Amino acid sequence: MKTILVTGGAGYIGSWVTKDLLEKGHNVRITVRDKSKTAKYEHLTKIAESSPGILDFWEANLTQEGSFDEAAEGCEAIIHIASPFILNVKDPQKDLVDPAVQGTRYVLNAATKSSTVKKVVLTSSVASINGDAQDMELQGLSEFTEEHWNTSSSLSHQPYSFSKVQAEKEAWKLAEAQNQWSLVVINPSFVLGPSLTPTSKSESLTLIGDFLKGKFKTGAPELYFGVVDVRDVAKAHIKALENDNAKGRHILAPRVLNFFEISQVIEKAFPGKYKLPKKLAPKWLLGLIGFMFGVSRKFVKQNVGFKVSYNNQKSVNELGMDYLPVETTMKEMVEQMHELKIV
Ligand code: NAP
């Protein structure tokens, strides 16, 4: 039994990680930005009541230096999940890059200042492995592996991906500058599956909600992305925490699908129930109307129609991962969104 600090522990991914830790008997400290907003974490209070582990809540903000210091003291490990996952922002530096990069620095500095933390598990992303889908072809690759880094995102083009690659680089820099704790990084692809929290604004939930409400009914963009179940993402974090031999980065991307293929998986489970796209939208049309979906012409040009492939093998060999089928992920996600009256 250990005491683990989970930053962003009440979010979409964080809630599953917290649940798994509590059920395994670990004591968990989660950070939230505002403790008075109990609706954001009361689902976890209920889970803690029937779990052997003890849960408590700490207030901390990624934009405030020193904010995580007190919460980290006394913990054996930190799972650093918190980071904004929003695609439509007004000020990418302030809304994405600063909380991601400075926040990572403040959390890892808290690990170093503590007298107890021996391990940090960081939630990065495949957005830190590659930026545009066309990068694979441009770099002459047949697949992306843990050796690759996103070199095509910037503050003005794919700023969320830029925030993730900058934050992960900062984490490796800080890890190499000390020898008190070791760093293991998890790089999930697009995370889908049922949510324990009804309040998360994660793009995972927003996007599938938009889909089911008919936003793409005239045609789905031919955008390919890796997909992984949120419960598998949580499992990978726990395995990374518990396995003393876990090292480096770990891609979690058991399947690659495009938007139309995702909608067909949903249609098969719920025939005729949702206004799902019946075909792929032509690329030229997306170039013209992409702004309506918050994407630039450059994004459409460099992503639509380009296949991507990720090598997932390290997560299987070194973390012992096996993955849920995407059919289960989508069925249970949609059922749950329906129960919560999101769709
Ligand atoms: P989420 O539900 O929105 O979780 C984001 C968490 O970050 C929330 O718990 C939020 O805290 C916290 N946070 C945001 N800004 C903060 C700030 N300024 N100070 C302190 N905490 C802050 O989204 P998610 O999908 O679970 O994402 C969690 C992590 O997974 C992120 O690092 C994201 O980049 C990464 N990731 C997600 C996916 C995906 O497809 N969902 C894929 C790869 C990687 P509050 O509880 O206080 O709001």
Side-chain angles (χ1 to χ4, degrees):
M1 195 178 76
K2 288 184 171 150
T3 301
I4 319 287
L5 175 65
V6 183
T7 73
Y12 173 49
I13 296 173
S15 292
W16 281 103
V17 171
T18 302
K19 176 178 188 286
D20 286 0
L21 290 170
L22 288 169
E23 287 176 350
K24 285 188 137 233
H26 296 299
N27 295 332
V28 184
R29 296 180 183 175
I30 67 165
T31 64
V32 290
R33 270 174 288 185
D34 183 351
K35 257 173 97 170
S36 70
K37 292 188 176 158
T38 52
K40 277 206 158 188
Y41 56 82
E42 61 196 9
H43 58 288
L44 293 172
T45 313
K46 285 188 197 130
I47 290 167
E49 276 163 15
S50 55
S51 307
I54 295 166
L55 174 66
D56 58 9
F57 304 95
W58 297 65
E59 216 167 62
N61 199 308
L62 295 170
T63 56
Q64 283 163 23
E65 190 162 11
S67 198
F68 295 84
D69 293 359
E70 264 185 61
E73 182 57 49
C75 293
E76 281 91 344
I78 301 179
I79 302 186
H80 176 38
I81 301 176
S83 203
F85 181 28
I86 318 160
L87 297 181
N88 257 334
V89 291
K90 281 201 188 109
D91 181 342
Q93 181 71 44
K94 184 168 154 286
D95 299 335
L96 290 170
V97 178
D98 286 349
V101 180
Q102 286 176 1
T104 296
R105 193 180 314 135
Y106 300 156
V107 172
L108 301 198
N109 283 345
T112 310
K113 282 188 231 168
S114 81
S115 59
T116 49
V117 176
K118 295 277 174 278
K119 188 163 198 174
V120 175
V121 178
L122 171 76
T123 316
S124 184
S125 169
V126 292
S128 173
I129 302 271
N130 78 296
D132 293 320
Q134 72 163 12
D135 294 353
M136 200 170 88
E137 199 176 297
L138 289 182
Q139 292 171 25
L141 301 171
S142 57
E143 62 183 8
F144 289 109
T145 71
E146 284 85 358
E147 280 176 25
H148 298 115
W149 286 90
N150 172 355
T151 53
S152 60
S153 299
S154 65
L155 205 51
S156 58
H157 177 64
Q158 301 234 56
Y160 165 71
S161 300
F162 184 62
S163 79
K164 294 306 284 182
V165 68
Q166 296 300 105
E168 192 190 324
K169 283 186 173 166
E170 182 71 14
W172 284 115
K173 193 177 92 190
L174 293 169
E176 275 150 28
Q178 55 76 56
N179 52 20
Q180 180 184 323
W181 44 268
S182 61
L183 177 67
V184 184
V185 173
I186 302 295
N187 303 81
S189 52
F190 196 45
V191 181
L192 295 171
S195 174
L196 292 170
T197 155
T199 61
S200 163
K201 301 270 183 290
S202 170
E203 291 291 345
S204 294
L205 306 166
T206 310
L207 189 107
I208 298 302
D210 286 350
F211 235 93
L212 299 171
K213 288 176 202 152
K215 187 166 173 182
F216 299 97
K217 67 174 188 288
T218 51
E222 193 186 358
L223 280 172
Y224 292 85
F225 47 91
V227 174
V228 59
D229 192 289
V230 65
R231 293 158 290 189
D232 289 334
V233 176
K235 208 197 294 177
H237 283 76
I238 312 294
K239 285 174 181 270
L241 177 81
E242 291 180 342
N243 182 341
D244 289 339
N245 298 319
K247 277 193 180 62
R249 315 170 86 195
H250 301 83
I251 291 176
L252 310 182
R255 286 284 296 272
V256 171
L257 298 164
N258 67 39
F259 274 111
F260 184 53
E261 289 164 335
I262 286 274
S263 75
Q264 284 178 312
V265 173
I266 303 173
E267 180 61 29
K268 205 168 166 202
F270 306 94
K273 189 163 176 184
Y274 297 102
K275 292 178 199 150
L276 296 165
K278 303 240 171 333
K279 56 180 186 325
L280 283 167
K283 186 166 178 170
W284 63 266
L285 181 65
L286 289 166
L288 288 180
I289 62 159
F291 68 91
M292 289 165 63
F293 299 94
V295 293
S296 66
R297 265 187 203 185
K298 183 176 172 186
F299 176 84
V300 172
K301 186 166 169 258
Q302 295 178 183
N303 288 279
V304 173
F306 291 98
K307 293 203 168 146
V308 286
S309 181
Y310 296 99
N311 187 321
N312 208 33
Q313 209 48 43
K314 188 176 174 209
S315 72
V316 175
N317 295 348
E318 293 186 16
L319 297 181
M321 290 297 297
D322 52 10
Y323 289 99
L324 287 165
V326 70
E327 290 74 15
T328 308
T329 302
M330 293 319 301
K331 183 170 177 292
E332 294 180 6
M333 181 174 197
V334 174
E335 271 169 4
Q336 198 238 5
M337 288 181 117
H338 187 70
E339 266 166 41
L340 291 177
K341 299 194 176 24
I342 294 169
V343 290

